[in-house]
Amino acid sequence: MLSYTCLGTMMVAASASTLNQVFEIKNDAIMRRTSQRPLPSGRITVPHAVGWASSVGLAGTALLATQTNMLAAGLAASNLVLYSFVYTPLKQIHPVNTWVGAVVGAIPPLLGWAAASGDISLNSLILPAALYFWQIPHFMALAYMCREDYAAGGFKMYSLADPSGRKTAMVAMRNSIYLIPLGFLAYDWGVTSGWFCLESTALTLAISAAAFSFYRDRTKERARRMFHASLLYLPVFMAGLLIHRRTDNQHFLEVNAEGFMKSPSSVETSEMDDKNGNQKIKGRQGTRARPPVAYASIAPFPFLPAPSYDIV
């Protein structure tokens, strides 16, 4: 399932990225940063790109629908539409495109959770929240460094309406601070151990310090430092979630520890009278069934811990 999910997600992402470049071929040709992409450089024709995007997008969605579940496929298809047909044209209309793009970037990890569990729970929102808030300082730094390039390409970025860079830096710093509670929430909601709470806080304070440095001294050099700090933050945060995750087995044992202590076999036998009071029926109590998805959390390369279910 992990392989199918990664492959299907990659195919849908390739489709969205290709459509983005089809729609922005003229803009990309003007910008120095994107002028050597396959379409503006003439290495690939537009019909070729459209055919590729259509086929790989449909195939990726179908793969997720048949090999994982419809929820994951729906998230993938929705993200493809949101990225290609909402975020992409919005880049030339209004600076709010950055926040819409952050939603697009936050959905893929939610897709992975949905593929593993078939559900979306409160715990599943930790990583999407991290992706959402992380993208703001990451892109604000990039947009500040490439202001002239974005202006030449006709893109309406937040930094273009902020000559001093003060508002841009403030937005970056504010969203960096929003990342701080996520480590505690991951621990409090039973997703990770307490060590992740400490490590995540230290990591987030580091990127917040880089954002504050950019706020105090709004130069391209400070923006570049914040950009590099954001590149380091994400893989370290994700690795911490995996290393310190609490598996479904651990949560199951902790929640039911008291009940299991009552009997060495973790099974209690109860007797009850039938309706006529003439005979007694023995029953088994105290055994809880585990959902199949719980076993995914102990795989060598698992998704994030699956939500815990209490099924009697």
Side-chain angles (χ1 to χ4, degrees), residues 27-50:
N27 307 80
D28 286 347
I30 298 172
M31 296 176 63
R32 182 178 56 197
R33 187 172 64 89
T34 57
S35 61
Q36 293 305 309
R37 286 179 173 177
L39 284 169
S41 64
R43 300 197 304 274
I44 293 178
T45 64
V46 172
H48 183 177
V50 173

Side-chain angles (χ1 to χ4, degrees), residues 144-146 148 214 218-225:
Y144 186 85
M145 291 188 294
C146 303
E148 294 82 4
F214 173 49
R218 296 178 294 280
T219 63
K220 287 189 177 181
E221 179 60 29
R222 294 299 175 92
R224 186 174 291 106
R225 288 183 183 179

Side-chain angles (χ1 to χ4, degrees), residues 31-285:
M31 296 176 63
R32 182 178 56 197
R33 187 172 64 89
T34 57
S35 61
Q36 293 305 309
R37 286 179 173 177
L39 284 169
S41 64
R43 300 197 304 274
I44 293 178
T45 64
V46 172
H48 183 177
V50 173
W52 161 258
S54 302
S55 59
V56 78
L58 290 172
T61 303
L63 183 66
L64 290 170
T66 57
Q67 301 300 325
T68 59
N69 54 62
M70 291 303 296
L71 178 58
L75 286 171
S78 299
N79 218 26
L80 172 58
V81 172
L82 184 62
Y83 184 85
S84 302
F85 301 102
V86 179
Y87 167 68
T88 296
L90 198 57
K91 289 165 66 177
Q92 301 178 52
I93 298 174
H94 197 276
V96 76
N97 68 78
T98 300
W99 284 264
V100 175
V103 174
V104 172
I107 289 178
L110 192 62
L111 188 160
W113 184 290
S117 67
D119 194 9
I120 294 178
S121 66
L122 186 64
N123 292 355
S124 68
L125 301 180
I126 293 292
L127 191 51
L131 265 292
Y132 177 86
F133 292 122
W134 166 83
Q135 284 175 95
I136 305 302
H138 171 79
F139 189 77
M140 287 298 166
L142 180 64
Y144 186 85
M145 291 188 294
C146 303
R147 282 195 294 184
E148 294 82 4
D149 219 14
Y150 279 118
F155 294 111
K156 306 295 184 182
M157 298 304 167
Y158 189 78
S159 59
L160 298 182
D162 180 29
S164 69
R166 182 182 179 87
K167 293 181 179 179
T168 302
M170 175 61 75
V171 169
M173 185 172 66
R174 183 169 64 241
N175 282 271
S176 297
I177 294 173
Y178 292 159
L179 291 166
I180 294 177
L182 295 182
F184 171 77
L185 292 176
Y187 165 68
D188 186 58
W189 294 350
V191 177
T192 65
S193 68
W195 283 108
F196 177 75
C197 178
L198 299 175
E199 294 171 5
S200 173
T201 301
L203 182 65
T204 308
L205 288 175
I207 190 175
S208 298
F212 179 69
S213 176
F214 173 49
Y215 177 75
R216 293 188 61 186
D217 185 12
R218 296 178 294 280
T219 63
K220 287 189 177 181
E221 179 60 29
R222 294 299 175 92
R224 186 174 291 106
R225 288 183 183 179
M226 186 178 71
F227 181 76
H228 290 158
S230 69
L231 293 178
L232 178 64
Y233 172 87
L234 202 57
V236 174
F237 183 88
M238 290 181 171
L241 274 171
L242 289 174
I243 293 171
H244 298 294
R245 77 191 192 282
R246 293 175 64 201
T247 66
D248 208 57
N249 280 337
Q250 291 172 322
H251 186 75
F252 180 80
L253 292 174
E254 290 175 9
V255 170
N256 297 280
E258 293 184 2
F260 283 120
M261 287 296 292
K262 295 180 180 179
S263 171
S265 63
S266 302
V267 177
E268 298 177 359
T269 302
S270 65
E271 296 183 353
M272 59 188 73
D273 294 333
D274 66 1
K275 294 181 180 180
N276 298 324
N278 297 324
Q279 58 182 356
K280 292 185 177 181
I281 304 171
K282 290 187 176 181
R284 293 164 65 86
Q285 297 178 348

